[in-house]
Amino acid sequence: MKFLAAALAVFLILPGTAMAIGRPLVVPPVPYEKEQIAIVLLKEPKTESQIKALLSSYPGLQLRHIFSEALYGFSVKGDAETIGKLSFKEDIMKISPAYSYQADMEENIKMIGGEAVRGYFDKLDRRLTGKGITVGVIDTGLDYTHPDLRNNYSGGHDLVDGDADPMETKVQQGLPTIHGTHVAGIIAANGKIKGVAPEAKIIAYRALGPGGSGTTEQILSAIEQAIKDKVDVLNLSLGNEINGPDLPISLALNKAVDKGIVAVAASGNSGPNVWSVGSPGTASKAISVGASTPIMNIPFLLIEGTSEKIRLEPMAGSGQWDTSRSMELTVAGMGKKVELSDAKNKFVLIKRGSTTFTKKAKNAQNAGAKGVVIYNNTNGSFIGNLEEALHIPVVSVSKKTGEFLKKQIELGNNSIRISMEEEQDRLAAFSSRGPVTGTWEIKPDVVAPGVAINSTIPGGYMALQGTSMAAPHVAGACALIRQAHPDWSPLEVKAALMNTAKPISKGIQKPYRTYEQGAGRVQILEAVQAASLVLPASLHFGKFGTSGLSDQSEAVLTIENKSLKTRTYSFRMPEAEEGLDWQLPLSFTLNPGESRRVKVGLRVDEILSRKKIYDGRLELEDGTNVIGIPYLYVVEEPGYPRVMGFDLTQGDKPGTFRYEVYLPGGADEFGIALFNPEDYRFVGFLDISRNLKRGMIQKEIAAEMIPEEGRYLAKVFAKKANQEDYIETELIFPEKEEIGRN
């Protein structure tokens, strides 16, 4: 299973490992890896000698790292069978596979209040610029020689190569990276461009290597080191598509918060579907960040002679639009050179796949095209970046829209115009939504600009987009809040951002749901000046019973008066809704610096309730401000995905394979069914199991279960309480002789 940086750079688009049809998961005939790395979580802390004593009965296991800050545990290397035996030891809580991770300003910073807050001063009479605050960036490294970042750089650690040089991967080392430098620039660039907190110090933790790839072990080691370094804020612009609260990275971030660090994580780029937020954006105590749009001019494609108006998603790095005249749109296949003979002075419609967006667009530009529309090869929309700047516009549309445009061209409706409309504070289509499975928490917590964000990269500057770009806006904001209020805890910093966030809408009277935007788009100045704080900043009442009778749940809020005057607090009664009965506290008064715990109760009549998930915002008045508190409750088991994060690799023994899959609610029945991709004829089961518990499943597939060489359509399914969910992916198996000879 892959964790990806939450940026949409080239193909780093957080696809996870349940690969969509058209992007097969290839199982190559390479030498099998007999040894693997696993993370062992302990029930209680142990010394190094105690851990070595525990492992002394397992001579085949090699102790690698001991974790005592981020979590209690250690990592080991050895064969799967021996690692599995460890799970029977009484003092071991859980063994988790070491997942593979890969790397998920100007006007945008002004938009969230990053410029206005400069007029505010800290207790040492210094402007709020992040001075005195250290931000840790766990990512692909950092180009600390960049003129906009070299004065911010305060050292680093390379958890990939095991040294103290966190420089980005260079060409001679493998697939080069730029992601960490871009993220760091949004936080603290201080040169040609300025970040949110331009005088904050950056400590870089290179946990993702060539191509933005890394492991759970490396990221846990980075979190562990950041705790030892006592950073004030920690940014993780990475994630996966597993919507579960119990993965090791999420647990480690919660521990980092307990130790005084404000942890910020990207929510992921798997939107716009609900239940798409991924770990570590699911960590309960971290600030999970979704992506909104800054002030942008959005292009719309108009088909002349029709009423069709199609919203286009510009790719970062593409050129400007010519809206002065009509143009012809033509089909250009996959964007290969031979398919672009008719492209001169036209817009070309190209299908996604086979090669990069940049290659397709450059082929079109070289052929004389005036613009490129790339449509998806799987259901849904997507958004991306170009690896280099081009002078023609390049946009993306969904598969459905692309096929519609292709049909219009065939019908002769190929004359188009482009119109531009200003837009801001919209949720980016790619931004992952919640809630979190199991805990039913609202995630993301807030949103911040994450579309077409210009920042530093090795050797220059580039605009990228993704929740990777949204998270560092919030990390920079946290640095400013910590400078202004050094005595505030991480949870108070989080509350300040959420209590003062601006709820955003998709149109007039059409607000986004709380589990799409959290509390809303961050407003730094308002957060710094917050007179009152409400903790926790969002409420999740959990899942009500299914008895058919009224059920009640309650939550406890802590209200803090942070101002210098006495304030009176009162809740506004929510709009009446059938089947719901709120029990809210009466008005009360708090003196400066005083706090109070209050109970909020909710009674639900399941017979009268009509929805599975209810959400909204409670409102608390403090005499000057209205504080919004997002809430969510589940009446009965909602329809969240039952299977996530499927990955298949070669096993420990020749001829075998091993799969990993996450079951957020467990399964009465789970299986991997194989079909012929040409005629969808059922071939057989790769595996089938019953009565599985929730969480990560890892299993070895025996050689006799492996099908013959070839391409297969796999349906990975889970059934639970008469509900079935599945992932479809293509698997390519090599010749058995090729596997066996390894």
Side-chain angles (χ1 to χ4, degrees):
M1 177 193 1
K2 298 198 172 188
F3 273 67
L4 309 168
L8 296 162
V10 196
F11 280 111
L12 304 184
I13 311 181
L14 197 63
T17 52
M19 308 296 277
I21 301 304
R23 296 203 328 229
L25 179 57
V26 181
V27 186
V30 296
Y32 69 92
E33 292 285 343
K34 179 169 179 57
E35 294 187 313
Q36 60 178 273
I37 297 171
I39 309 299
V40 181
L41 304 183
L42 296 167
K43 294 179 181 177
E44 296 178 350
K46 288 184 179 296
T47 64
E48 182 176 353
S49 60
Q50 289 174 319
I51 292 172
K52 287 181 176 178
L54 185 152
L55 293 175
S56 62
S57 302
Y58 307 92
L61 296 184
Q62 173 193 346
L63 177 64
R64 290 172 57 85
H65 295 277
I66 295 175
F67 306 112
S68 58
E69 302 287 348
L71 40 75
Y72 300 135
F74 55 91
S75 61
V76 292
K77 186 175 184 179
D79 65 89
E81 184 177 357
T82 307
I83 291 173
K85 291 177 182 178
L86 272 178
S87 62
F88 295 102
K89 301 290 286 187
E90 186 176 334
D91 36 10
I92 288 178
M93 180 173 68
K94 181 180 180 181
I95 297 179
S96 177
Y99 313 121
S100 172
Y101 287 69
Q102 186 172 335
D104 241 249
M105 275 140 273
E106 300 99 351
E107 191 64 31
N108 41 292
I109 291 174
K110 180 179 179 181
M111 176 183 177
I112 62 174
E115 184 177 287
V117 79
R118 303 285 182 251
Y120 195 92
F121 293 80
D122 67 11
K123 295 177 181 179
L124 298 177
D125 204 31
R126 300 175 301 186
R127 291 187 184 275
L128 293 189
T129 59
K131 194 173 185 65
I133 303 300
T134 301
V135 181
V137 178
I138 297 178
D139 215 291
T140 61
L142 175 69
D143 178 10
Y144 44 76
T145 67
H146 196 291
D148 289 17
L149 290 169
R150 60 189 174 202
N151 291 330
N152 305 88
Y153 179 62
S154 189
H157 306 269
D158 186 336
L159 292 312
V160 178
D161 296 333
D163 56 41
D165 184 4
M167 176 59 75
E168 295 266 18
T169 301
K170 297 183 178 180
V171 176
Q172 57 269 30
Q173 299 170 303
L175 190 60
T177 58
I178 62 174
H179 192 267
T181 303
H182 197 278
V183 166
I186 296 171
I187 297 171
N190 195 3
K192 181 179 178 181
I193 64 173
K194 290 191 180 295
V196 180
E199 291 193 291
K201 292 298 183 183
I202 296 290
I203 297 182
Y205 301 89
R206 182 175 179 253
L208 306 176
S213 178
T215 67
T216 300
E217 182 186 42
Q218 291 162 348
I219 296 172
L220 282 177
S221 297
I223 297 173
E224 182 92 356
Q225 186 61 52
I227 294 173
K228 293 177 181 177
D229 291 339
K230 298 184 177 356
V231 301
D232 299 295
V233 181
L234 189 58
N235 187 89
L236 287 86
S237 286
L238 49 86
N240 73 0
E241 63 173 11
I242 293 182
N243 183 340
D246 54 353
L247 270 68
I249 302 301
S250 294
L251 298 177
L253 279 191
N254 288 337
K255 180 67 72 173
V257 173
D258 290 341
K259 297 200 172 188
I261 295 173
V262 180
V264 180
S267 69
N269 299 327
S270 296
N273 294 331
V274 296
W275 307 105
S276 55
V277 62
S279 176
T282 55
S284 180
K285 297 178 183 179
I287 304 173
S288 178
V289 187
S292 62
T293 59
I295 300 172
M296 310 176 59
N297 285 318
I298 301 298
F300 286 82
L301 186 151
L302 311 174
I303 302 177
E304 294 191 337
T306 74
S307 59
E308 297 296 335
K309 181 180 179 182
I310 298 169
R311 191 182 192 278
L312 305 174
E313 294 288 352
M315 289 195 181
S318 63
Q320 299 298 311
W321 293 89
D322 180 1
T323 59
S324 64
R325 58 190 180 87
S326 300
M327 286 162 284
E328 184 179 339
L329 181 64
T330 187
V331 178
M334 302 296 290
K336 299 176 182 177
K337 291 180 180 179
V338 296
E339 298 173 300
L340 289 157
S341 59
D342 189 38
K344 190 171 183 179
N345 295 323
K346 298 177 182 178
F347 261 68
V348 292
L349 179 66
I350 296 174
K351 189 174 183 179
R352 180 183 181 183
S354 297
T355 187
T356 66
F357 307 138
T358 307
K359 184 68 173 176
K360 294 173 186 288
K362 284 188 74 174
N363 287 344
Q365 179 175 279
N366 293 339
K370 293 297 184 182
V372 178
V373 179
I374 300 176
Y375 68 98
N376 211 352
N377 54 1
T378 60
N379 290 332
S381 302
F382 73 100
I383 194 168
N385 301 303
L386 300 177
E387 298 169 88
E388 58 184 90
L390 300 180
H391 67 255
I392 63 171
V394 184
V395 299
S396 67
V397 295
S398 68
K399 179 182 179 182
K400 182 179 179 180
T401 299
E403 291 174 344
F404 169 78
L405 289 173
K406 187 176 179 182
K407 184 68 174 178
Q408 292 298 309
I409 294 169
E410 292 171 355
L411 293 173
N413 298 326
N414 60 351
S415 181
I416 63 168
R417 293 185 67 90
I418 301 296
S419 68
M420 307 296 290
E421 297 182 12
E422 188 172 277
E423 185 176 284
Q424 71 179 73
D425 273 343
R426 296 291 177 90
L427 202 58
F430 58 78
S431 186
S432 290
R433 276 74 161 167
V436 179
T437 62
T439 61
W440 319 118
E441 287 186 88
I442 294 172
K443 292 288 180 175
D445 296 296
V446 291
V447 296
V451 179
I453 306 301
N454 188 49
S455 184
T456 49
I457 62 169
Y461 308 89
M462 180 181 285
L464 297 177
Q465 46 209 20
T467 54
S468 272
M469 284 61 254
H473 281 85
V474 173
C478 292
L480 299 179
I481 297 171
R482 298 217 86 167
Q483 180 190 347
H485 304 286
D487 55 331
W488 284 10
S489 71
L491 294 182
E492 287 177 315
V493 173
K494 178 178 180 179
L497 281 168
M498 294 182 67
N499 293 167
T500 59
K502 175 186 177 182
I504 61 175
S505 301
K506 61 189 78 175
I508 299 175
Q509 302 299 317
K510 291 183 179 180
Y512 291 103
R513 306 293 291 268
T514 60
Y515 49 79
E516 294 180 305
Q517 65 167 315
R521 194 254 295 154
V522 294
Q523 301 185 104
I524 300 176
L525 182 60
E526 288 80 354
V528 165
Q529 295 177 325
S532 304
L533 296 181
V534 179
L535 295 86
S538 64
L539 293 174
H540 55 104
F541 290 96
K543 185 174 69 173
F544 285 81
T546 55
S547 61
L549 303 174
S550 294
D551 202 351
Q552 182 165 344
S553 183
E554 67 177 24
V556 177
L557 293 173
T558 298
I559 316 298
E560 300 179 353
N561 181 1
K562 294 293 187 180
S563 72
L564 299 176
K565 70 175 186 178
T566 299
R567 291 182 177 272
T568 299
Y569 296 86
S570 60
F571 282 89
R572 292 179 177 178
M573 183 58 66
E575 186 176 339
E577 191 164 359
E578 190 175 26
L580 308 184
D581 181 22
W582 289 93
Q583 290 89 48
L584 300 175
L586 298 175
S587 297
F588 58 93
T589 299
L590 294 178
N591 294 321
E594 190 178 3
S595 65
R596 176 178 294 189
R597 288 163 57 88
V598 299
K599 291 183 179 180
V600 174
L602 177 61
R603 182 182 296 275
V604 177
D605 188 323
E606 297 171 44
I607 296 175
L608 296 177
S609 61
R610 303 180 184 277
K611 297 182 290 188
K612 292 185 177 182
I613 297 180
Y614 286 79
D615 72 303
R617 288 164 55 90
L618 288 179
E619 293 184 334
L620 174 67
E621 296 181 345
D622 72 351
T624 305
N625 310 293
V626 177
I627 300 169
I629 309 161
Y631 67 82
L632 182 144
Y633 57 95
V634 177
V635 176
E636 60 180 87
E637 194 81 356
Y640 57 87
R642 300 289 174 170
V643 55
M644 303 174 181
F646 174 73
D647 192 21
L648 182 71
T649 60
Q650 291 196 21
D652 294 332
K653 300 176 182 178
T656 66
F657 288 84
R658 183 174 61 249
Y659 71 79
E660 295 171 359
V661 68
Y662 189 81
L663 305 177
D668 298 330
E669 183 178 356
F670 167 81
I672 306 170
L674 301 180
F675 298 84
N676 185 315
E678 303 299 327
D679 56 12
Y680 298 98
R681 174 178 51 85
F682 176 66
V683 176
F685 287 103
L686 188 62
D687 188 38
I688 192 161
S689 304
R690 298 182 184 279
N691 300 321
L692 298 177
K693 295 181 179 180
R694 73 179 304 272
M696 181 63 67
I697 307 298
Q698 187 180 56
K699 187 174 180 181
E700 203 89 359
I701 302 295
E704 58 268 21
M705 295 295 293
I706 306 303
E708 297 298 321
E709 173 194 10
R711 181 187 294 261
Y712 295 87
L713 172 63
K715 180 179 178 181
V716 185
F717 66 89
K719 295 180 180 179
K720 177 78 171 182
N722 297 320
Q723 294 184 6
E724 180 177 353
D725 188 28
Y726 63 90
I727 297 172
E728 285 189 351
T729 182
E730 282 194 2
L731 302 179
I732 299 177
F733 289 95
E735 293 182 36
K736 291 189 176 182
E737 291 183 2
E738 287 289 329
I739 305 172
R741 70 171 62 120
N742 291 313

